[in-house]
Amino acid sequence: MTSQNNIFEPGENCWVESNATFAAPLIDCANYYKALHSSIVKAKHSIFIVGWDIDSRIRLIRGEDEAQSSAPSVISDLLKWKAEQTPDIQIYLLRWDSSLAFFAQRELWAKEAWDEKTPDNVKTELDDTIPMGGSQHQKIVVIDDELVFSGGMDVSTNRWDTRDHPVVSEERDGPDGEYGPLHDVQMVSSGPVVADFSKLVRWRWQRVANETPIAIRDNANINIDAPIPAAWPESYPPIFKNVECALARTIPFMDEVEPAQEVRHMLLDLIGQAESFIYIENQFTTRQEIAEELNRQLKLKPNLNVCIVSSYEPKGKFECEAFWASRIQFKTILESGISPERVKMTYSSIEDMQGKRAYKRIHSKVMTIDDKYLVIGSSNLSNRSMTLDTEIDTVLYGNTPENKQSVVNVRNDLLAEHTGRALEDMPAIFEQPNPVEALMQGQIAHGYILTEVRDEIFTEQSTANLFRSLSDPEEPLISIPTPDGTVLPARNPRRRSIMIAIGVTIVAVMCGLMYWASQSIPWLSSDSINAFLEESRGTYFALPTVLMVYVVGGILFFPVTVLSLAVAAIFGPIWGPIYGMMGALLSSAILFGIGKLSGNAGLKKLGGPKVAAVDEKLKRSGIVGVAAIRMLPIAPFSLVNLVAGISSIGIIQFLVGTFLGMFPPMIAKGLVGDSIAQIWQNPSVETISYLVAGIALWGLMIWGSQKFARYYQQRKQAASNEKQQDNESEECVA
């Protein structure tokens, strides 16, 4: 039975009112990932993961836990292992589709990566139904319909950290290198509330996938008096027992979906319940409506104190001008007319014994109201989280003395971490007349301390700017009128559409540059090049001139066949191919280097797993593969050079393959080019015969190279299959 003393009103400030038989906060990612790993290993029926991101490369456990585990630590390997160990299990991964703003942080080809790494009973979908400007921001994992993880944490890059948050950590390694300390909070729960989460994740999945996922288990043990479920993570005993709770959502206006702003109403109602202390830790604090309500309650209740913990410095211009500029306004509204001893907006930082400083990045979304309520969710105190993103917050109510004390213990535990204090020292802080001021005083040197934010050092206050309208909007960025006079929000562009647009743009730019060069550079024509080469014949500058022509022509995508024929016509059937080959190799090497730099700069990621598979085949085929590509005119010479640089093939392999593939046709081109020159000067049966023979030899070499490449690949594949069979036989014997 639920109590009538809480403020939960389904349909107003929450979606549903429920109970959690057991619940425990999981503070910081090392604890959450370890707990998630433990529960996935124990799963038997189904796993649903819904997130802003689900990165296949993330290691869930580290150190001794990783060394002693019989299950893989990387999440994609773990889910593959679980799917193969338990063939009847169904695993569903729902990740927000890509956004241009986060290309550098996320796997560009997430669905393809997951599909390639996991068997058929692991299904992946990308949610592209969110209105433009919004995001899929719920972070939920439901296991066996008996256990749920929810809160602020994603399985994503630059998230993992331990509770001590060292200044330097080798384990905090992201795509761009080491990142700084990061704080977050998730929660694991069981009992009746899991049934609501099970419905939510299935509704989300069905909207995107247009298919019905596995049904909720009829025999799921989620009664209020149910024991701890089998999938409960080891090392994390419950802190709350039989606790009343509610789920509050933000659902944006989408096609055929009723919008909901339950989070917004819930937070305002909770603030109105406070009497002595409101504690908030949140990634962003920009929603002025929240600041106004906090200020109003502070004026109404002289004994009320408010402490907010957030991050120190912004990441990038958008975050600075959208969120930090708005935080200045939030702070001004919050503190207006209030004694500074009663309210503080702070960040947590440390300076160690060696003088190294670190600022803790706050990613959590937590609020406590006295000893009455604890909120652990996905919602920031921002405009977008109240209206435009999909959000889910769990609100626990202290319905028993034990649960009231647990609310206090969670608050004290978090503040102890941020101020470098021991947990047992925290109760005395809250016995002081001004606990907020007491928190700021007596903090230990060389440990984490709270400091009041001063955002003016990063940006000037701005009432409205483009960055804010793009990064923290309340409404979709684009709405489309309909024939009946209403409007529908435009969706975020699909990742696939973005990738196609990028590819088309790159090709269009290259074609435009080539056309511009052909029209604007007078000497970039066959006649001009022939005249230029002709002047160097018989001089010491002949070879340097040919090399320069090949390099410049390669960069400008000038056809290499035209160059080779011109060089052969001018320098003859012997020196023509030799000079031409040297020029082609130098041009290949330079463009290969440009491609290598582009690939290392991130261009390689744009290709995705399918291109990576082709790349791997090219790497395995090595010299012969390159030679075959060179003999077969399937792509422009310069484009092959650039793509090879972006690929994984080595430059020595590439140049040797280029030589073997181009030199025989170069000889044929020498005969053809020289024959053309001879025919032009002295047409005869002999010169025409040389031309015909050269063209025939050219075609024969292309045909022969194709045959040889196929033969070589078949031999290589047969040898690889034989070796694999031998290895399997040895394993069987062992």
Side-chain angles (χ1 to χ4, degrees):
M1 297 292 292
T2 60
S3 167
Q4 298 302 311
N5 296 325
N6 64 50
I7 61 167
F8 303 151
E9 296 182 18
E12 296 293 331
N13 64 10
C14 64
W15 173 41
V16 291
E17 181 180 7
S18 189
N19 292 79
T21 307
F22 301 102
L26 302 167
I27 303 175
D28 292 316
C29 239
N31 286 315
Y32 170 46
Y33 284 0
K34 180 179 177 181
L36 179 61
H37 186 277
S38 173
S39 294
I40 289 175
V41 169
K42 298 175 182 179
K44 296 180 179 178
H45 172 261
S46 61
I47 299 172
F48 285 82
I49 303 179
V50 175
W52 180 86
D53 191 15
I54 311 170
D55 195 301
S56 68
R57 303 164 294 182
I58 301 302
R59 287 166 57 221
L60 296 181
I61 52 176
R62 319 282 174 102
E64 284 298 314
D65 293 324
E66 185 176 29
Q68 295 175 7
S69 176
S70 59
S73 60
V74 175
I75 188 167
S76 54
D77 297 334
L78 177 65
L79 292 180
K80 175 186 177 184
W81 172 85
K82 169 52 63 175
E84 291 173 346
Q85 292 278 323
T86 314
D88 292 334
I89 198 171
Q90 296 296 315
I91 301 174
Y92 302 88
L93 310 177
L94 181 63
R95 169 195 186 268
W96 181 41
D97 205 342
S98 293
S99 165
L100 278 171
F102 301 104
F103 258 29
Q105 300 179 26
R106 294 151 60 93
E107 286 182 296
L108 295 186
W109 298 91
K111 177 174 171 54
E112 288 80 1
W114 277 104
D115 289 345
E116 184 177 292
K117 293 176 181 179
T118 54
D120 291 341
N121 53 341
V122 180
K123 301 177 177 63
T124 306
E125 290 290 344
L126 304 181
D127 192 342
D128 63 352
T129 66
I130 312 301
M132 184 174 291
S135 71
Q136 192 314 95
H137 208 241
Q138 296 169 338
K139 300 97 166 41
I140 309 167
V141 180
V142 177
I143 294 181
D144 288 350
D145 294 318
E146 291 185 342
L147 185 77
V148 61
F149 295 93
S150 63
M153 295 198 215
D154 289 291
V155 181
S156 186
T157 59
N158 294 7
R159 296 286 195 271
W160 188 92
D161 203 1
T162 53
R163 290 213 62 183
D164 56 341
H165 302 290
V167 175
V168 178
S169 171
E170 292 182 357
E171 288 288 359
R172 289 200 306 254
D173 184 29
D176 300 321
E178 184 180 344
Y179 56 92
L182 187 131
H183 172 77
D184 214 334
V185 179
Q186 197 86 340
M187 182 167 63
V188 57
S189 310
S190 67
V193 70
V194 181
D196 301 309
F197 276 105
S198 294
K199 294 174 185 176
L200 177 61
V201 296
R202 284 169 170 82
W203 174 73
R204 293 295 310 280
W205 176 267
Q206 194 161 349
R207 286 196 73 248
V208 176
N210 295 317
E211 69 174 18
T212 302
I214 190 171
I216 298 176
R217 290 173 60 201
D218 293 332
N219 59 344
N221 200 350
I222 53 173
N223 298 323
I224 189 63
D225 57 351
I228 293 179
W232 189 275
E234 298 171 3
S235 306
Y236 299 98
I239 294 176
F240 294 90
K241 297 181 180 179
N242 295 327
V243 60
E244 296 174 17
C245 64
L247 301 182
R249 306 167 302 168
T250 297
I251 302 294
F253 177 54
M254 300 182 286
D255 53 320
E256 302 178 358
V257 174
E258 186 71 23
Q261 296 183 6
E262 298 149 2
V263 168
R264 170 174 168 258
H265 296 300
M266 175 63 77
L267 295 179
L268 292 172
D269 289 348
L270 287 172
I271 291 169
Q273 294 293 303
E275 298 292 339
S276 60
F277 200 91
I278 297 176
Y279 172 63
I280 298 171
E281 57 181 48
N282 206 279
Q283 182 181 12
F284 300 127
T285 54
T286 64
R287 182 75 175 179
Q288 293 186 19
E289 183 182 33
I290 301 292
E292 291 165 356
E293 182 61 20
L294 287 168
N295 180 265
R296 189 172 79 88
Q297 293 299 322
L298 283 164
K299 289 176 177 176
L300 286 174
K301 302 166 183 175
N303 294 324
L304 180 61
N305 292 260
V306 175
C307 179
I308 300 176
V309 179
S310 192
S311 300
Y312 170 65
E313 58 187 339
K315 291 184 176 180
K317 189 69 173 178
F318 272 88
E319 192 168 275
C320 179
E321 297 304 326
F323 294 103
W324 262 244
S326 297
R327 197 166 76 173
I328 295 174
Q329 290 180 288
F330 186 98
K331 187 173 185 286
T332 301
I333 296 169
L334 171 66
E335 298 174 346
S336 177
I338 306 299
S339 170
E341 290 82 13
R342 296 175 56 204
V343 58
K344 287 285 188 295
M345 288 188 66
T346 67
Y347 63 88
S348 183
S349 65
I350 187 174
E351 185 174 350
D352 65 14
M353 299 288 287
Q354 288 74 41
K356 295 180 181 178
R357 181 173 289 275
Y359 301 93
K360 191 186 298 179
R361 180 80 174 176
I362 302 297
H363 192 265
S364 51
K365 302 92 171 58
V366 172
M367 180 184 290
T368 66
I369 306 294
D370 301 334
D371 61 354
K372 301 175 186 176
Y373 295 96
L374 168 64
V375 182
I376 296 177
S378 65
S379 304
N380 291 308
L381 302 185
S382 61
N383 294 325
R384 61 183 309 120
S385 284
M386 301 298 117
T387 61
L388 190 56
D389 294 343
T390 57
E391 306 282 8
I392 184 73
D393 289 0
T394 304
V395 187
L396 304 182
Y397 172 60
N399 57 318
T400 66
E402 293 79 10
N403 287 332
K404 285 179 181 288
Q405 187 58 49
S406 292
V407 171
V408 172
N409 290 343
V410 171
R411 177 199 68 194
N412 290 353
D413 192 8
L414 293 168
L415 279 167
E417 177 189 306
H418 297 319
T419 60
R421 290 184 169 95
L423 181 58
E424 54 268 23
D425 297 335
M426 298 306 297
I429 297 289
F430 287 91
E431 293 173 1
Q432 302 294 318
N434 295 305
V436 172
E437 188 67 20
L439 281 167
M440 308 296 289
Q441 303 299 323
Q443 300 183 81
I444 301 172
H446 306 306
Y448 273 96
I449 61 171
L450 286 181
T451 307
E452 189 171 1
V453 299
R454 291 284 184 263
D455 292 327
E456 293 82 1
I457 66 174
F458 299 112
T459 181
E460 296 180 358
Q461 183 176 352
S462 172
T463 55
N465 59 53
L466 176 64
F467 298 101
R468 186 178 305 179
S469 63
L470 292 175
S471 293
D472 193 24
E474 293 187 71
E475 298 178 350
L477 296 182
I478 299 177
S479 294
I480 303 173
T482 61
D484 60 2
T486 61
V487 295
L488 283 176
R491 295 180 176 184
N492 279 309
R494 295 182 178 182
R495 174 220 43 167
R496 188 177 296 276
S497 301
I498 294 173
M499 302 303 292
I500 292 173
I502 291 174
V504 169
T505 301
I506 291 173
V507 172
V509 168
M510 289 177 59
C511 292
L513 288 173
M514 291 170 62
Y515 178 78
W516 173 85
S518 65
Q519 298 297 312
S520 304
I521 303 177
W523 49 264
L524 193 60
S525 67
S526 299
D527 293 339
S528 297
I529 292 173
N530 285 340
F532 185 63
L533 292 171
E534 185 71 41
E535 290 180 6
S536 70
R537 186 169 61 174
T539 70
Y540 291 111
F541 302 106
L543 178 59
T545 300
V546 172
L547 296 180
M548 183 180 69
V549 167
Y550 266 92
V551 170
V552 174
I555 293 173
L556 296 177
F557 276 65
F558 194 83
V560 70
T561 299
V562 174
L563 289 179
S564 301
L565 290 172
V567 170
I570 293 170
F571 296 99
I574 296 178
W575 290 108
I578 294 174
Y579 286 176
M581 193 68 245
M582 295 173 70
L585 289 175
L586 179 60
S587 181
S588 297
I590 291 174
L591 287 171
F592 181 93
I594 294 173
K596 183 64 70 178
L597 292 174
S598 302
N600 293 339
L603 192 58
K604 189 182 294 187
K605 293 168 63 178
L606 293 175
K610 289 182 172 59
V611 172
V614 175
D615 176 25
E616 183 61 28
K617 290 179 180 178
L618 178 63
K619 185 179 179 182
R620 286 201 305 267
S621 63
I623 293 171
V624 173
V626 174
I629 291 172
R630 288 306 194 189
M631 287 186 178
L632 299 172
I634 58 175
F637 171 77
S638 298
L639 183 61
V640 171
N641 296 332
L642 285 172
V643 171
I646 295 170
S647 76
S648 303
I649 196 168
I651 188 169
I652 300 301
Q653 279 185 310
F654 178 68
L655 291 180
V656 172
T658 295
F659 176 81
L660 294 177
M662 289 191 70
F663 195 58
M666 194 75 76
I667 296 172
K669 291 175 188 177
L671 290 174
V672 171
D674 185 62
S675 298
I676 292 175
Q678 294 294 330
I679 290 172
W680 186 261
Q681 297 170 5
N682 182 28
S684 66
V685 175
E686 183 180 4
T687 55
I688 294 173
S689 300
Y690 277 129
L691 176 62
V692 173
I695 293 174
L697 179 60
W698 192 350
L700 184 62
M701 286 184 171
I702 291 175
W703 177 81
S705 67
Q706 189 175 15
K707 286 287 187 181
F708 178 75
R710 287 178 179 173
Y711 169 76
Y712 179 84
Q713 288 296 100
Q714 290 172 355
R715 286 283 303 273
K716 195 171 182 180
Q717 185 64 44
S720 176
N721 293 339
E722 185 177 347
K723 184 176 180 181
Q724 185 176 354
Q725 290 174 0
D726 291 341
N727 290 337
E728 290 175 355
S729 299
E730 291 175 4
E731 290 176 4
C732 291
V733 171

